[in-house]
């Protein structure tokens, strides 16, 4: 944040991308569980991260908010109840924090918005019960979730991870606070790079984590695809030793999922967009989205501490791509795909139907409303070349739908959003930044 704009006669710009939501919320929990104080530099300030931070304070953790940094005074143990925790729309809060609470003592009740209450928690509920917590889910199997905490035993678990990697992440993050080692076999694991991120951050805080070959190690963006491919599709097993965490200082890198919209905008408009501090050693698998843009004809440069994408001609289509490991960016590709010179098929994204919205249905419906030919199935979508017409995009209260179609709006005049404010979940300043870089081409934010 705060990086000045740079432009030249080739249309080169530097995008100001806020901190990673995924890293910010993981580090918040790790800092809370650690002994000592942790400083987060450049954390993301958004609806989801503020909700997560507030939830931690409701669990008794002291967080001091400064200019461009947060300090967390860790407890070194699980929290004490009773406490009632509001998760708002934050799926990470609903899936990570109940495990932390269960490592403590007392009664905890987790609640959230109607949208979050509709999202599943079944595998996590079953795992917590097996580890020794008293767990009472709501009528739909999710929130409101009541935890009767008396510490967690650890042991061996088999976890259904076919719909979300967040269940596994939630268990791993709090595993060092359990009484015995925790070994989790994650069946059908999706979104594998997020587990690599989680493990790397746990090790930064001093945890002892052992992985078997099925879970890919943290890999630079340029080689992450091959690592995930080599891992196979059966799942993975992770073992975490007890022993707690130690506080540290960590800088939060820019959010790669958010950067995808600006990289796609570069490919679409013939601009060069650079994102500083997001380079080849990034913890985020979603940086691999630039590899997909390269397949679509863009020029991509991944340096040690930055990534740049340049649009060098019409988008190329006529290919299929599996985006299961980077499904938060599939909507970015799908939204701009109508302007490619051939059809684009995206596969491996069935779990995206269980996010803030049914994202496959939401993308398909909006593209059809714009006059684009689309076919879709349980875990795939095909977008054909077309001439999108002006229409109002139904955001479904989903920040990623709003941001993805805003990129298409740079080339299709008259696209508007029915809920432009939903971007506040991860990037409250998104529309302003898009307008700063691309001027009047940016979509109208009038509802």
């Amino acid at each position: 944040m705060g990086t000045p704009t740079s432009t030249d006669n080739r249309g080169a710009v530097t995008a100001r991308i806020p901190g990673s939501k995924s890293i910010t919320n993981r580090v918040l929990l790790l800092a809370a569980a650690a002994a000592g104080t942790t400083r987060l530099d450049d954390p993301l300030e958004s609806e989801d991260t503020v909700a997560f931070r507030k939830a931690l304070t409701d669990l008794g953790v002291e967080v001091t908010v400064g200019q461009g940094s947060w300090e967390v005074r860790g407890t070194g143990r699980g929290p004490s109840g009773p406490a009632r925790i509001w998760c708002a729309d934050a799926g990470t809060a609903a899936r990570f924090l109940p495990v932390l609470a269960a490592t403590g003592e007392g009664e905890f009740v987790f609640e959230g918005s109607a949208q979050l209450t509709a999202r599943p928690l079944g595998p996590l509920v079953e795992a917590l019960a097996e580890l020794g917590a008293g767990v009472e889910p709501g009528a739909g199997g999710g929130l409101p979730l009541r935890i009767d905490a008396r510490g967690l035993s650890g042991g061996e678990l088999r976890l259904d991870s076919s719909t979300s990697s967040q269940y596994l992440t939630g268990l791993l993050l709090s595993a060092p606070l359990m009484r015995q080692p925790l070994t989790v076999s994650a069946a059908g694991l999706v979104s594998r790079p997020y587990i690599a991120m989680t493990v790397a951050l746990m090790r930064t805080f001093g945890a002892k984590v052992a992985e078997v070959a099925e879970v890919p190690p943290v890999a630079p963006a340029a080689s992450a695809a091959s690592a995930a491919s080599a891992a196979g599709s059966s799942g993975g097993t992770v073992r975490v030793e007890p022993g707690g965490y130690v506080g540290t200082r960590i800088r939060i890198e820019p959010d790669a999922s958010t950067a995808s919209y600006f990289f796609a905008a570069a490919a679409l408009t013939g601009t060069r967009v650079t994102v500083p501090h997001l380079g080849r050693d990034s913890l985020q698998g979603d940086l691999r989205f630039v590899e997909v843009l390269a397949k679509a004809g863009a020029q991509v440069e991944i340096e040690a501490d930055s990534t740049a994408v340049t649009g060098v001609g019409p988008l190329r289509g006529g290919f299929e791509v599996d985006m299961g490991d980077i499904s938060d960016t599939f909507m970015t590709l799908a939204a701009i795909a109508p302007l490619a010179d051939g059809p684009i098929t995206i596969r491996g994204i069935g779990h995206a139907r269980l996010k803030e919205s049914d994202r496959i249905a939401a993308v398909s419906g909006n593209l059809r409303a714009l006059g684009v030919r689309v076919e879709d199935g349980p875990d795939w979508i095909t977008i054909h070349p077309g001439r999108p017409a002006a229409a109002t995009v139904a955001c479904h209260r989903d920040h990623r739908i709003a941001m993805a179609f805003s990129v298409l709006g740079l080339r299709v005049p008259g696209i508007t959003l029915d809920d432009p404010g939903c971007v506040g979940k991860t990037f409250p300043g998104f529309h302003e930044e898009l307008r700063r870089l691309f001027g009047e081409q940016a979509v109208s934010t009038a509802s």
Side-chain angles (χ1 to χ4, degrees):
M1 298 288 289
T3 304
T5 306
S6 65
T7 60
D8 61 23
N9 57 12
R10 294 169 296 174
V13 296
T14 298
R16 299 186 296 214
I17 305 299
S20 163
K21 182 189 81 168
S22 298
I23 296 177
T24 298
N25 281 356
R26 282 165 173 77
V27 170
L28 278 172
L29 188 148
L30 291 166
T37 298
T38 294
R39 175 168 168 167
L40 289 70
D41 292 320
D42 299 330
L44 171 64
E45 184 95 21
S46 74
E47 291 173 3
D48 266 17
T49 59
V50 170
F52 200 106
R53 189 181 72 199
K54 174 62 166 57
L56 281 178
T57 63
D58 289 342
L59 288 169
V61 178
E62 182 180 332
V63 182
T64 302
V65 177
Q67 185 66 38
S69 67
W70 300 344
E71 284 196 351
V72 181
R73 181 172 294 179
T75 62
R77 53 180 170 76
S80 298
R84 185 174 293 270
I85 299 93
W86 177 251
C87 300
D89 277 340
T92 50
R95 291 169 174 175
F96 298 174
L97 294 178
V99 190
L100 179 66
T103 66
E105 298 286 339
E107 184 177 276
F108 303 87
V109 179
F110 290 85
E111 300 172 301
S113 66
Q115 184 188 53
L116 186 58
T117 298
R119 296 177 68 179
L121 287 177
L124 186 65
V125 169
E126 294 174 11
L128 285 173
E130 190 170 340
L131 291 171
V135 189
E136 183 183 338
L143 300 182
L145 183 67
R146 186 179 300 273
I147 303 286
D148 179 13
R150 41 189 178 267
L152 293 178
S153 61
E156 295 188 2
L157 281 177
R158 182 171 175 82
L159 181 73
D160 180 0
S161 301
S162 61
T163 58
S164 176
S165 65
Q166 288 183 355
Y167 306 128
L168 177 58
T169 287
L171 291 166
L172 295 179
L173 288 171
S174 292
L177 302 184
M178 298 181 191
R179 289 187 286 268
Q180 301 294 328
L182 176 70
T183 302
V184 187
S185 296
L189 180 61
V190 296
S191 302
R192 292 168 177 270
Y194 285 98
I195 301 305
M197 173 198 297
T198 298
V199 169
L201 291 170
M202 290 171 65
R203 288 173 174 161
T204 298
F205 281 78
K208 297 178 181 178
V209 188
E211 306 165 78
V212 298
E214 292 96 322
V215 177
V218 178
S223 59
S226 58
S229 176
S233 60
S234 61
T237 300
V238 185
R239 178 182 172 90
V240 184
E241 301 293 332
Y245 294 111
V246 177
T248 187
R249 180 172 181 174
I250 189 167
R251 180 180 183 177
I252 308 300
E253 62 185 61
D255 194 292
S257 307
T258 298
S260 76
Y261 309 112
F262 296 90
F263 291 142
L268 206 62
T269 62
T271 306
R272 176 184 171 87
V273 171
T274 299
V275 176
H277 310 308
L278 185 66
R280 67 172 64 102
D281 294 327
S282 171
L283 295 177
Q284 299 171 81
D286 278 3
L287 183 54
R288 287 170 45 208
F289 177 73
V290 299
E291 298 174 11
V292 181
L293 289 178
K295 186 184 288 284
Q299 178 182 315
V300 173
E301 301 162 71
I302 304 175
E303 305 293 344
D305 194 44
S306 67
T307 299
V309 172
T310 306
V312 292
L315 289 180
R316 291 201 302 259
F319 63 84
E320 295 189 3
V321 58
D322 188 324
M323 298 184 73
D325 281 344
I326 55 171
S327 63
D328 276 353
T329 65
F330 100 81
M331 294 151 286
T332 317
L333 177 63
I336 66 173
L339 302 185
D341 62 9
I344 294 176
T345 297
I346 305 169
R347 299 195 179 277
I349 53 173
H351 53 288
R353 291 190 180 275
L354 299 172
K355 298 283 190 174
E356 284 83 343
S357 66
D358 178 338
R359 286 177 167 170
I360 296 177
V363 167
S364 297
N366 280 311
L367 287 173
R368 290 179 180 124
L370 293 166
V372 176
R373 179 184 164 203
V374 181
E375 297 148 5
D376 61 73
D379 68 346
W380 60 273
I381 182 172
T382 297
I383 304 99
H384 293 269
R387 295 184 177 180
T392 297
V393 169
C395 297
H396 300 275
R397 291 193 61 223
D398 190 331
H399 55 134
R400 302 212 180 279
I401 298 296
M403 290 190 274
F405 280 91
S406 293
V407 177
L408 180 61
L410 296 175
R411 286 280 304 275
V412 180
I415 287 181
T416 58
L417 308 175
D418 71 348
D419 183 13
C422 68
V423 301
K425 183 176 175 68
T426 49
F427 190 2
F430 170 78
H431 298 299
E432 290 75 13
E433 181 65 0
L434 200 67
R435 200 171 292 118
R436 183 182 73 85
L437 297 179
F438 298 98
E440 295 307 312
Q441 290 175 278
V443 303
S444 169
T445 55
S447 57

